[in-house]
Amino acid sequence: MKIKIGICGYGNLGKGVESEISKNSDMELIAVFTRRNPVESLKISSNVPVVHVNSIAEWKNKIDVMILCGGSANDLPEQGPEIAKHFNTIDSFDNHKKILQYFKAVDNAAKLGNNISIVSIGWDPGLFSLMRMYMGAVIPTGKTYTFWGKGVSQGHSQAIRRIIGVVDAVQYTIPIDSAMEKVRNGENPNLSVREKHTRLCYVVAAEKADRSRIENEIKEMPNYFDEYDTTVIFISAEELKANHSSLPHGGNVIHIGATGSGNKQVIEFSLKLNSNPEFTSSVLLSFARAAFRLSQNGDCGAKTILDIPPALLSPHSIENLMEKLL
Amino acid sequence: MKIKIGICGYGNLGKGVESEISKNSDMELIAVFTRRNPVESLKISSNVPVVHVNSIAEWKNKIDVMILCGGSANDLPEQGPEIAKHFNTIDSFDNHKKILQYFKAVDNAAKLGNNISIVSIGWDPGLFSLMRMYMGAVIPTGKTYTFWGKGVSQGHSQAIRRIIGVVDAVQYTIPIDSAMEKVRNGENPNLSVREKHTRLCYVVAAEKADRSRIENEIKEMPNYFDEYDTTVIFISAEELKANHSSLPHGGNVIHIGATGSGNKQVIEFSLKLNSNPEFTSSVLLSFARAAFRLSQNGDCGAKTILDIPPALLSPHSIENLMEKLL
């Protein structure tokens, strides 16, 4: 019997989950839920029902795990707790400052519904959080550095698109190699925001727009760009589409410390992703398996990636894993 | 109240555990257990009792977790199950072919004694096993490669020392960079043993020993060297001591796969260790914390690294971890 998966939200992430389910032979997609009206306006790739999210509770006994693919700003704060009342859920909530508050709201709802909800799954938060935790536990006197990129930051691209005169834009976050090398060499540098990453923006401007005004608005935008060295390059809409349509990303978590009388120890985890949303989707699916198993065992409530026994993610038996991987 | 740690066996690993305990403010060393006779012949760095291993059971109520620092060939197959009857234990059993058999023997004993035993902890088996599992669960259609080194293999060094005419020896396992690059580039190579690693041996020969015979015996030694390109360099005892006394090691686990319509995804974990035994000891200690907590919660039996909820390794509270790391 396969694990029955529902997808709630059909943007890049929802499409990724749909695409990656077939890689997991113990799972099947049951339905896609959307807020669009009419639901018929949403065309999906799979041959499963598209259902309005208002009817989601009616699918309670037909779906084992609901994967919440909405955004952290507007969708999840409401959907997370609401849907956790009815389903085991997995989400990629990434609004760091509100994570504890979100966790508690989902935890209450999941306990009411006797469901498991694993929150903030993906790669950061997600696998990178997990690595930071393992690394810090193993070498407790060490220091952890996280670098992101080279990759497209959708939040920063979106921020540029809101500027008047900008037709479209793609922003790459680029780690500074020399800073990473300093870390790996054990120099324990104190790195400012500017010393860790640069930002590279490809912008399509409206025909008569003032390009120098746009460039300044980008470079001075608080929080997003003002603390970074930012490069702005104006290109045509065709060029943007041809060369900057994919969503690569990745990064490095580096932990460096010493044992004994100063023996340097370096632990590093890195991702090089040609599709950020598809990778995130793959991570969500492996945790859907864990949520299903925890729920089958009678557990309930909200969990994070730090709570989940690793073997629950794998389709293989523990004896098989011991023989093949240990 | 601190977690009370015992060390059983005082070789490189036991010394490493002793050195690293001080980095964990929630732990204290209570005693070191040894097979040496008389026990007074063993001098240790800490100011704690040295006790003969035959009296270990008498310390049952004074120690929370016993860290087994004996070898996998001769010590652990007997000590593991025997000591698990009386104590929570952590070990670094690494005889891959016997791991399931060992696990079952320890599991039975630990359940009899109502104790937790986490087996095969370290970095391989250990953190590398864990990474192989996470990576395979996240991208199930991908392929995982493990490379070791550059580092000293104590087993291979020991094998050379057994050859007649050899006074001392140190063997380095060296990964082949071009093979690693092929993997990272997504070429999905099928690599033979010879194509992944080379072996470099520094050998001190007895004065009148036949060096070409020694070199041949090394290069043709079944299992250890015959499948590798091996280089043998004869040096003086002084040079061996001066340049090859430390025990560095490390390696890379690389998982490569694709999502969607062929988007390449690369996950990599690497270690660069200046002291292999001290790093392994640090890993053992973080799992000692987990064993203690599992035992406090009333759980018992043998576990592997794949069974342990990550947060149990950390001295920090789950709320603190969520705020700082997630």
Side-chain angles (χ1 to χ4, degrees), chain A residues 202-275:
Chain A
Y202 291 97
V203 179
V204 180
E207 208 173 331
K208 290 183 180 162
D210 178 349
R211 294 186 170 196
S212 64
R213 189 223 359 120
I214 291 174
E215 181 167 343
N216 283 336
E217 279 196 41
I218 294 173
K219 289 185 172 178
E220 289 166 11
M221 196 186 298
N223 301 317
Y224 284 88
F225 292 99
D226 62 341
E227 294 181 77
Y228 297 85
D229 289 333
T230 300
T231 305
V232 177
I233 299 174
F234 290 94
I235 60 176
S236 69
E238 294 70 36
E239 202 181 331
L240 193 82
K241 195 179 175 205
N243 301 333
H244 305 287
S245 284
S246 64
L247 293 167
H249 218 319
N252 298 62
V253 182
I254 309 173
H255 187 80
I256 179 145
T259 56
S261 50
N263 286 309
K264 195 173 80 171
Q265 315 279 19
V266 188
I267 317 177
E268 181 162 353
F269 180 79
S270 70
L271 295 173
K272 287 196 183 63
L273 311 175
N274 275 359
S275 166

Side-chain angles (χ1 to χ4, degrees), chain A residues 20 96 132-133 138 259-260 263-266 268 270 272-275 278 282 306 310-311 323 325-326, chain B residues 20 96 132-133 138 259-260 263-266 268 270 272-275 278 282 306 310-311 323 325-326:
Chain A
E20 298 316 305
H96 190 84
R132 289 188 283 258
M133 204 229 77
V138 166
T259 56
N263 286 309
K264 195 173 80 171
Q265 315 279 19
V266 188
E268 181 162 353
S270 70
K272 287 196 183 63
L273 311 175
N274 275 359
S275 166
E278 285 172 6
S282 301
L306 307 177
E323 287 189 318
L325 301 183
L326 217 61
Chain B
E20 299 315 305
H96 189 84
R132 289 187 285 259
M133 205 230 75
V138 167
T259 56
N263 286 310
K264 195 172 81 170
Q265 314 279 20
V266 188
E268 181 162 352
S270 70
K272 287 195 185 66
L273 311 175
N274 275 359
S275 167
E278 285 172 6
S282 301
L306 308 178
E323 287 189 318
L325 301 183
L326 215 61

Side-chain angles (χ1 to χ4, degrees), chain A:
Chain A
M1 222 178 57
K2 299 194 176 191
I3 303 171
K4 296 178 181 66
I5 302 287
I7 293 173
C8 183
Y10 197 73
N12 282 329
L13 199 57
K15 285 175 196 163
V17 172
E18 181 185 34
S19 135
E20 298 316 305
I21 277 184
S22 63
K23 314 277 172 68
N24 295 278
S25 58
D26 58 344
M27 299 184 183
E28 61 178 327
L29 180 62
I30 300 299
V32 171
F33 300 85
T34 178
R35 288 190 311 198
R36 288 187 221 189
N37 266 319
V39 294
E40 292 75 21
S41 69
L42 178 64
K43 301 295 173 209
I44 65 170
S45 304
S46 317
N47 188 20
V48 301
V50 177
V51 182
H52 197 274
V53 72
N54 289 347
S55 310
I56 199 168
E58 295 165 23
W59 289 71
K60 192 168 170 157
N61 298 316
K62 296 174 195 154
I63 285 171
D64 295 316
V65 185
M66 188 70 74
I67 304 195
L68 309 185
C69 299
S72 299
N74 302 315
D75 304 321
L76 292 176
E78 189 190 317
Q79 288 182 350
E82 188 54 37
I83 298 176
K85 288 181 199 160
H86 306 292
F87 298 92
N88 298 312
T89 65
I90 305 291
D91 69 58
S92 60
F93 185 81
D94 66 358
N95 186 340
H96 190 84
K97 285 179 186 159
K98 296 190 175 164
I99 218 159
L100 256 180
Q101 179 191 338
Y102 178 74
F103 177 90
K104 285 175 184 167
V106 173
D107 188 47
N108 286 334
K111 281 175 177 157
L112 273 177
N114 203 29
N115 293 313
I116 289 282
S117 291
I118 313 182
V119 306
S120 299
I121 295 299
W123 60 274
D124 200 358
L127 297 179
F128 274 19
S129 324
L130 187 66
M131 293 305 140
R132 289 188 283 258
M133 204 229 77
Y134 276 121
M135 293 172 182
V138 166
I139 305 285
T141 53
K143 192 169 171 184
T144 310
Y145 296 81
T146 304
F147 292 89
W148 296 273
K150 182 182 176 178
V152 173
S153 163
Q154 297 185 70
H156 286 77
S157 303
Q158 200 58 50
I160 300 172
R161 288 184 203 118
R162 286 192 291 258
I163 294 173
I164 291 166
V166 170
V167 175
D168 203 353
V170 170
Q171 192 267 187
Y172 293 91
T173 305
I174 303 170
I176 297 176
D177 284 340
S178 58
M180 256 197 274
E181 277 314 303
K182 275 186 194 167
V183 169
R184 291 192 189 106
N185 290 340
E187 298 177 30
N188 276 314
N190 282 314
L191 298 167
S192 68
V193 161
R194 191 179 303 275
E195 289 168 326
K196 287 181 73 188
H197 299 91
T198 58
R199 299 197 176 277
L200 174 60
C201 315
Y202 291 97
V203 179
V204 180
E207 208 173 331
K208 290 183 180 162
D210 178 349
R211 294 186 170 196
S212 64
R213 189 223 359 120
I214 291 174
E215 181 167 343
N216 283 336
E217 279 196 41
I218 294 173
K219 289 185 172 178
E220 289 166 11
M221 196 186 298
N223 301 317
Y224 284 88
F225 292 99
D226 62 341
E227 294 181 77
Y228 297 85
D229 289 333
T230 300
T231 305
V232 177
I233 299 174
F234 290 94
I235 60 176
S236 69
E238 294 70 36
E239 202 181 331
L240 193 82
K241 195 179 175 205
N243 301 333
H244 305 287
S245 284
S246 64
L247 293 167
H249 218 319
N252 298 62
V253 182
I254 309 173
H255 187 80
I256 179 145
T259 56
S261 50
N263 286 309
K264 195 173 80 171
Q265 315 279 19
V266 188
I267 317 177
E268 181 162 353
F269 180 79
S270 70
L271 295 173
K272 287 196 183 63
L273 311 175
N274 275 359
S275 166
N276 179 2
E278 285 172 6
F279 185 80
T280 301
S281 303
S282 301
V283 180
L284 293 173
L285 282 166
S286 64
F287 281 87
R289 182 178 294 115
F292 175 70
R293 289 170 170 177
L294 286 169
S295 175
Q296 293 284 98
N297 280 338
D299 199 354
C300 72
K303 312 275 177 189
T304 74
I305 197 168
L306 307 177
D307 299 307
I308 309 299
L312 294 183
L313 305 187
S314 173
H316 305 297
S317 73
I318 185 74
E319 293 217 341
N320 191 302
L321 291 172
M322 282 175 69
E323 287 189 318
K324 297 247 170 77
L325 301 183
L326 217 61

